Amino acid sequence: MASTDESTQVGQHASPFGPIPPGTRPGGTDEGGSRMPPWLPRAMVLALALIACFQLGSWAFHQLTGLLINVLIAFFLALAIEPAVSWMASYGLRRGLATALVFLLVMIVGAGFVTLLGSMLAGQIIDIVEDFPKYVDSVISWINTTFHTELSRVDIQDSLLRSDWLRKYVQNSATGVLDVSAQVLGGLFQLLTITLFAFYFAADGPRLRRALCSVLPPARQAEVLRAWEIAVNKTGGYLYSRGLMALISGVAHYVLLEALGVPYAPVLAVWVGLVSQFIPTIGTYLAGALPMLIAFTVNPWYALWVLIFVVIYQQFENYVLQPKLTSKTVDIHPAVAFGSVVAGTALLGAVGALIAIPAIATLQAFLGAYVKRYDVTDDPRVHGRRERSPSSLLARIRGVLRGSRDSAAAEDEETRDSS
């Protein structure tokens, strides 16, 4: 009986390929191989932790995007006023007081300009509202005379008052006012944030540079200080070019407005020059709207002339004036300047368009200091011309004539063979 049991056990563990080693399951799977590797749980925990950190960092970055943009604007604003602050500090004035004086001067000039412009705009709006029926009558009279219609102001007013569009507009006015109020408050808070950061960057500029240099070796410290100086020079050059273009734009629009007899021509010219140059993308259209509105109070056709002049001058500025001035003051190619503005607008919108050129100019100047340059070969193609020797030109002419004679002779032979 014992032998039978032993033979049965051997038969159960038997295999066509030989006996199964001990410690192996009948299915052919090793008991030790079925266990989870000891490093796998730690790897899974580490991967989950990395994913969580990435998601948390991405969420924090998106939440702080507005703050980072404000800090970036404040940094370039601090670079712009750095020369004035350093000049005052060289005469023994504390940097904090010097920065405060610069900001106070800018605020006084800006507040005075806004106050003057606001009073002028309020007076012109009152005049437009009072004279609006007269303008409507003149337009209706012109339409009736030109197109032989019988329109009247009373009929037009009744149709407008009974229209669904006006009813919906009145219903949405309350929510529109709330949205505008929220945007104004948000803009004021953003302006305050930028001003505070710019003040600290300008007043504590040397301390900030020392803090950066304290964590770098001496060789890297020299590079950081050089990059800072380049950024200050390029930002100042960019603002200089913008100020020069604002002056040219203001003078050109002043001549037009004075020739048309538009009131407040000097203030309107300053408005057009500043807004069109320092508010990117929509600054030109925003700047031209106010002179058109004031010109409309004098004569509706004057508003059309102002619009035509604004469009023509904008094309002249974009394709002739701006590339030349920007390439001279910021020392970058016009195509690079235009491409940097397009890229900055795509990345950060209007803010990116405003700071794109000084940022690219700073990067280009900093990298140019480390790029090794060689003497250019004296080749005519480098200077934009190709010199052809008379012998080569005559050789080509002879080759063409010889080829034409050979082709004519071949055609004659084919004609003879066919005949």
Side-chain angles (χ1 to χ4, degrees), residues 323-347:
K324 291 184 178 298
L325 290 179
T326 303
S327 61
K328 296 295 182 182
T329 56
V330 192
D331 195 20
I332 61 176
H333 194 272
V336 177
F338 178 74
S340 63
V341 171
V342 174
T345 304
L347 292 175

Side-chain angles (χ1 to χ4, degrees), residues 98-178:
T99 306
L101 290 177
V102 172
F103 273 99
L104 182 62
L105 179 62
V106 173
M107 291 175 61
I108 291 175
V109 173
F113 177 73
V114 171
T115 302
L116 180 61
L117 191 65
S119 60
M120 178 200 67
L121 184 60
Q124 294 299 321
I125 290 177
I126 293 174
D127 294 339
I128 291 175
V129 172
E130 292 178 351
D131 298 336
F132 186 75
K134 182 178 66 176
Y135 295 139
V136 173
D137 290 338
S138 62
V139 172
I140 291 175
S141 177
W142 179 82
I143 293 175
N144 292 333
T145 304
T146 305
F147 300 100
H148 305 287
T149 58
E150 297 181 355
L151 297 176
S152 64
R153 180 160 55 89
V154 178
D155 296 337
I156 295 176
Q157 289 178 353
D158 292 339
S159 61
L160 288 176
L161 292 175
R162 296 174 182 176
S163 62
D164 296 335
W165 173 82
L166 183 61
R167 189 179 299 109
K168 292 180 181 178
Y169 179 78
V170 173
Q171 292 175 356
N172 296 330
S173 297
T175 57
V177 170
L178 293 177

Side-chain angles (χ1 to χ4, degrees), residues 180-190:
V180 171
S181 301
Q183 291 179 0
V184 170
L185 292 177
L188 292 177
F189 180 75
Q190 184 177 7

